[in-house]
Structure formats: C-alpha cells, structure tokens
Amino acid sequence: MKKAIFPGSFDPITLGHVDIINRGVTLFDEVIVAIGENSSKNYMFSLEERKRFIENTFKDNPKVSVVSYSGLTTDFCKEIGVEFILRGLRNPADFEFEKAIAQTNRHLSTLETVFLLTSAQTSFISSSIVREIIRFDGDYQKLVPNSVRVKNP
Ligand code: ADP
C-alpha cells in the first residue's frame, strides 16, 4: 500500500491544497494530511480549527486522513511507516525552497518527495493571502473550501 503524507501548516486549508490532495489520491492509496505544529509560529487558526476544516472537507473521501505532528517530518514518516512526501509547487520560489528540503530529507532518510505542479486556477492562492483577506474583512470564501468559515469576520 502506497501512502503519502502531505505536510503543511494549513492556516487555513485553501483550494490550492484541496487540488493537490484530490490529485494525490489518484497516485497513492492514502494521503495523510499532516498539520505541522511549530511552537515559534503564530497561527491565525488553532490546531483544532485547522484539523476540523480539513476533516470536514474530506469527510466523504476515505483515502484522506488528517493528523498533527511536531518535530522533523522525516522522523514522523518513519514513526507512521510512510515512504512518500507530497508537496505542491506554485512558482520558482517554491521550487528553490522545496528542493533544499527534499534533498535534505533524502540525505537524512530514504523518503521520496513527489511534487505536483499547481493547477492554473489555484496557482495564485496561498494561506497567507487568505489570512490577509480575512484580517481586512474581504471575501475569502472563493479561495477556500466551504468548511473554512470564520466565526466573527
Ligand atoms: P508550509 O508552511 O509547509 O509551506 P502550507 O500549508 O503553506 O505549508 O503548504 C503546504 C503545501 O501545499 C506546500 O507544498 C505548498 O507548496 C502547497 N501549496 C500551498 N498552496 C498551494 C497552491 N495554491 N497550489 C499548489 N500547492 C500549494
């Protein structure tokens, strides 16, 4: 059984992430969305909210599961017996960043990273832009799945 983890902050999940996950399940038997917890980061949404948004989005897809982790992604993959990391690429900046991480992970382990190129319709979307729109009370709903709703926008 081929399993991949899709690690990220998902603060919050966007239609760009949804696209990568939906395409990932056509390549893997299971895609485990892994929410990384970094104590030095200030998140807009709590871990519970970020997890709930993703779980609700994929509640009808048994091939998608959601977990959270802290520490090194390579250690977490070893712990849960996963051999592939799924990542999305939007632009050259993503490529440069992801290249260094993937090569480091290969250096530290036998993990293989599989990259999917963003779809044209979602390539401009990022969680940071969504957060900015939410902060200024803009229409963020077109950029995220229906499960992402802000309580008091
Ligand atoms: P991180 O903090 O690890 O960058 P993100 O939640 O921002 O976490 O992103 C997780 C993964 O999703 C990364 O591989 C990122 O490149 C990818 N991703 C984010 N937005 C998009 C998008 N619009 N299209 C394709 N991939 C995306």
Side-chain angles (χ1 to χ4, degrees), residues 35-105:
I35 310 174
E37 269 295 89
N38 182 340
S39 51
S40 63
K41 268 196 185 178
N42 267 331
Y43 299 103
M44 173 174 264
F45 295 98
S46 69
L47 177 60
E48 291 68 34
E49 287 174 306
R50 286 181 281 149
K51 194 159 184 267
R52 194 179 65 240
F53 293 154
I54 306 170
E55 281 169 350
N56 287 344
T57 306
F58 293 98
K59 62 180 184 316
D60 296 325
N61 193 336
K63 291 176 80 176
V64 179
S65 58
V66 190
V67 297
S68 60
Y69 75 105
S70 55
L72 287 179
T73 306
T74 46
D75 289 343
F76 182 63
C77 287
K78 209 167 165 191
E79 196 182 308
I80 63 170
V82 165
E83 311 228 323
F84 298 94
I85 299 179
L86 177 65
R87 294 288 283 178
L89 289 178
R90 286 165 290 191
N91 49 46
D94 271 357
F95 173 76
E96 288 301 332
F97 179 72
E98 296 291 341
K99 183 176 87 162
I101 296 180
Q103 288 175 339
T104 305
N105 287 343

Side-chain angles (χ1 to χ4, degrees), residues 6-10 14 16-17 20 41 87-90 94 98 118 122-123 125 127:
F6 183 44
S9 312
F10 306 104
T14 70
H17 297 128
I20 298 292
K41 268 196 185 178
R87 294 288 283 178
L89 289 178
R90 286 165 290 191
D94 271 357
E98 296 291 341
T118 177
T122 52
S123 65
I125 304 175
S127 294

